[in-house]
Amino acid sequence: MLFPNYFAMLIVLLYREKYGRRKEMSSDFFLIHRIRNGDAQAGNQFVEKYYPSIYQYCFLHIHDKECAEDITQETFTKFFEALMKNSDIGKIKSYLYSISGNLQFMQ
């Protein structure tokens, strides 16, 4: 299925041309596209990319290593659940931080 990937790439290029977004936006866009199509490797790449910053955010607020790890894992679980339900989640990093912050608040 070459056409959907080509179409997605065209959308990203037009978006970048119009709004001047960084390369990170396009790489995240393609990761999300691949994750939604069931690519487990893309899911792993996504977690590897954002896990350190989300874990650090949790640890700085909670000061408990095990609890920070649990909340970080729960953050990604909730993110992937929301990703499969919603068509547009907005800014990915902001969405991850907001999920993490809500989970910390409920702790």
Side-chain angles (χ1 to χ4, degrees), residues 43-56:
N44 290 338
Q45 289 174 346
F46 181 84
V47 171
E48 288 174 5
K49 180 177 181 177
Y50 288 108
Y51 190 94
S53 57
I54 298 300
Y55 172 77
Q56 183 180 20

Side-chain angles (χ1 to χ4, degrees), residues 31-82:
L31 272 178
I32 295 301
H33 179 71
R34 289 172 48 206
I35 292 168
R36 283 189 172 143
N37 288 327
D39 186 347
Q41 183 179 6
N44 290 338
Q45 289 174 346
F46 181 84
V47 171
E48 288 174 5
K49 180 177 181 177
Y50 288 108
Y51 190 94
S53 57
I54 298 300
Y55 172 77
Q56 183 180 20
Y57 175 72
C58 292
F59 185 74
L60 288 173
H61 288 90
I62 295 176
H63 307 290
D64 180 2
K65 183 178 180 179
E66 290 179 10
C67 190
E69 289 173 355
D70 290 344
I71 290 176
T72 303
Q73 290 176 358
E74 184 67 21
T75 298
F76 284 100
T77 300
K78 291 208 178 284
F79 175 81
F80 287 125
E81 288 172 359

Side-chain angles (χ1 to χ4, degrees), residues 11-22 25:
I11 290 171
V12 169
L13 292 174
L14 291 172
Y15 187 88
R16 283 180 58 198
E17 182 179 319
K18 183 174 181 180
Y19 298 106
R21 296 288 181 193
R22 299 183 311 242
M25 190 285 298

Side-chain angles (χ1 to χ4, degrees), residues 87-105:
S87 60
D88 184 27
I89 58 170
K91 294 182 180 179
I92 293 169
K93 200 167 192 176
S94 298
Y95 196 69
L96 286 169
Y97 280 115
S98 119
I99 293 171
S100 179
N102 289 337
L103 289 171
Q104 291 172 40
F105 180 73

